[in-house]
Amino acid sequence: MVSLPPLHRLLYEPLLRRALEEDLGRAGDLTSDSIAPPDLEVEASIVARSGGRVAGLQVAADAFKLLDPGSVTELHCPDGVDAAPGQTVALIRGKARAILSVERTALNLLARMCGIATTTRDVVAAIDGTAARVTCTRKTTPGLRLLEKYAVRAGGGFNHRFGLDDAVLIKDNHRALAGGVREAVERVRRQVGHLVKVEVEVDTLAELEELLGLDVDAVLLDNMRVDLLKEAVAMVRGRLVTEASGGLTPDTAREVAATGVDLLSLGWLTHSVKALDVSLDLAV
């Protein structure tokens, strides 16, 4: 179980509105509006068909509330908790038309967030006993970054940058444009404020050696073999935060974490996970 503060509805409501507008189109839900009487009230269950870590239940509940402000949702399994296969994780009471019209949008978001949380949970469990943390990247679905990074936290992971404006990460193309690591770092330090953290990506131990004499806070060790990661950690001697990235899988995560790196950075936590199987069942 992971305890985490809820997302503020103000942050994701515009996303919900856009998603519902996309589905309702110009004429609304032709099927549900034709079949369900306008004032019919129903109860529906959201069920986890397969077991996994829950994330996004309140987001789903707020999607229903946008079309039916009078709807009431009971959350039976809070975010950050594991649901068993077949478990009812929430109950919704409200207008039948609204529930049916919102169903797919709500389940799409919930299934993806639960899938991310479940995958993150499994990687965190795989490296249990090491000092390393699992973190995500900016490889998120456009428009869904807030929700996907929240899901990573629900799985017990941590967030990397939310965007380009909250930290500096000097990558290979930046180094090439600047003419080298030192010049890139010096240009950044002349530009950014004193509270901004600076991280630099390196591919070799020689690049790391050069970096250790510069004013940086963290190093991203990109696509390094396990033996090189061990050498890199020994070279750093705790002076910088060390982050391993590139080619990490659930099968290799523990071996990489055992090298002593501080962070395991995994882009596929948000770009290649399998959605959790969730469904909505009407009580009729």
Side-chain angles (χ1 to χ4, degrees), residues 137-164:
T137 71
R138 285 171 43 245
K139 294 178 181 177
T140 54
T141 308
L144 296 183
R145 182 169 295 171
L146 172 73
L147 300 185
E148 292 181 347
K149 283 185 172 284
Y150 170 83
V152 168
R153 297 200 302 277
F158 293 82
N159 294 153
H160 208 277
R161 293 187 297 173
F162 267 80
L164 297 170

Side-chain angles (χ1 to χ4, degrees), residues 144-193:
L144 296 183
R145 182 169 295 171
L146 172 73
L147 300 185
E148 292 181 347
K149 283 185 172 284
Y150 170 83
V152 168
R153 297 200 302 277
F158 293 82
N159 294 153
H160 208 277
R161 293 187 297 173
F162 267 80
L164 297 170
D165 62 340
D166 59 357
V168 169
L169 176 50
I170 299 172
K171 298 177 71 67
D172 52 355
N173 286 328
H174 300 114
R175 299 198 313 261
L177 284 173
V181 173
R182 177 177 298 275
E183 179 61 24
V185 171
E186 289 177 354
R187 289 186 190 184
V188 161
R189 283 302 185 191
R190 288 195 296 266
Q191 184 70 25
V192 303

Side-chain angles (χ1 to χ4, degrees), residues 20-263:
L20 290 171
E21 288 169 1
E22 177 183 56
D23 219 14
L24 291 168
R26 295 168 297 178
D29 184 350
L30 299 177
T31 310
S32 300
D33 290 351
S34 299
I35 293 174
D39 295 325
L40 177 63
E41 299 269 344
V42 296
E43 180 178 277
S45 303
I46 296 180
V47 179
R49 296 297 183 200
S50 55
R53 178 62 55 87
V54 173
L57 266 185
Q58 187 59 55
V59 175
D62 287 336
F64 291 104
K65 212 164 188 63
L66 278 178
L67 252 61
D68 178 9
S71 66
V72 176
T73 303
E74 296 177 7
L75 306 183
H76 292 181
C77 189
D79 290 348
V81 172
D82 291 335
Q87 181 176 343
T88 295
V89 295
L91 287 176
I92 307 153
R93 299 180 184 88
K95 298 290 179 58
R97 285 186 178 182
I99 289 176
L100 291 173
S101 296
V102 176
E103 174 184 357
R104 179 42 50 203
T105 294
L107 292 183
N108 283 350
L109 292 171
L110 180 62
R112 179 154 185 79
M113 292 178 71
C114 289
I116 291 170
T118 300
T119 301
T120 304
R121 176 203 66 184
D122 293 344
V123 180
V124 169
I127 67 168
D128 184 43
T130 72
R133 287 180 168 185
V134 173
T135 183
C136 55
T137 71
R138 285 171 43 245
K139 294 178 181 177
T140 54
T141 308
L144 296 183
R145 182 169 295 171
L146 172 73
L147 300 185
E148 292 181 347
K149 283 185 172 284
Y150 170 83
V152 168
R153 297 200 302 277
F158 293 82
N159 294 153
H160 208 277
R161 293 187 297 173
F162 267 80
L164 297 170
D165 62 340
D166 59 357
V168 169
L169 176 50
I170 299 172
K171 298 177 71 67
D172 52 355
N173 286 328
H174 300 114
R175 299 198 313 261
L177 284 173
V181 173
R182 177 177 298 275
E183 179 61 24
V185 171
E186 289 177 354
R187 289 186 190 184
V188 161
R189 283 302 185 191
R190 288 195 296 266
Q191 184 70 25
V192 303
H194 66 287
L195 294 180
V196 177
K197 297 288 187 179
V198 176
E199 181 174 19
V200 179
E201 174 189 277
V202 300
D203 303 312
T204 67
L205 296 181
E207 290 174 347
L208 175 60
E209 182 68 40
E210 181 182 7
L211 185 68
L212 291 175
L214 304 179
D215 183 14
V216 300
D217 303 289
V219 58
L220 191 156
L221 305 165
D222 190 43
N223 282 300
M224 284 190 178
R225 301 191 313 266
V226 168
D227 58 325
L228 293 181
L229 286 174
K230 290 180 181 178
E231 287 190 54
V233 170
M235 289 171 61
V236 170
R237 299 200 312 273
R239 289 173 287 175
L240 304 176
V241 173
T242 53
E243 175 183 352
S245 179
L248 296 175
T249 70
D251 294 331
T252 62
R254 185 167 188 85
E255 185 180 21
V256 172
T259 65
V261 294
D262 299 303
L263 303 171

